Amino acid sequence: MEKTQTVQVTVDGGYAPQEIHLKQGQPATITFTRVSSRGCLDEVQSTDLAFKRALPLNQPTTVTVATDQAGTFGFSCGMDMVHGKVVIDR
């Protein structure tokens, strides 16, 4: 069984890190933790990766990311104003 790739993202007026690198074909999760009530970052969504989650303040929220296809996939806040990306490498 393959080890799951895990990435922690701090949401504080933006995403840190803003660019996430994952290996193709290896299970992956991203945990978003919103630490500031500034801006429109109370939600994270990705049409490319098929997720949309509310981000309660100071509560880690984990999404599972499909890594079957290599490429660059975007994610953003609920208002599509703040962006990040997931790069899935072969």
Side-chain angles (χ1 to χ4, degrees), residues 2-89:
E2 292 184 274
K3 185 176 187 288
T4 299
Q5 304 171 85
T6 59
V7 179
Q8 306 290 325
V9 176
T10 301
V11 182
D12 184 5
Y15 301 107
Q18 191 171 3
E19 185 172 306
I20 297 165
H21 285 264
L22 300 170
K23 289 188 176 78
Q24 183 179 8
Q26 192 172 338
T29 62
I30 303 171
T31 300
F32 295 91
T33 305
R34 184 167 65 105
V35 298
S36 169
S37 59
R38 291 183 302 156
C40 56
L41 293 160
D42 58 347
E43 189 173 77
V44 64
Q45 62 183 0
S46 173
T47 303
D48 295 343
L49 297 170
F51 68 78
K52 183 174 186 172
R53 297 284 191 292
L55 297 179
L57 195 57
N58 297 316
Q59 291 184 30
T61 302
T62 300
V63 296
T64 300
V65 177
T67 60
D68 50 331
Q69 292 185 19
T72 301
F73 306 94
F75 62 90
S76 70
C77 67
M79 295 178 70
D80 200 32
M81 294 173 64
V82 180
H83 299 92
K85 61 184 170 182
V86 175
V87 179
I88 300 175
D89 301 306

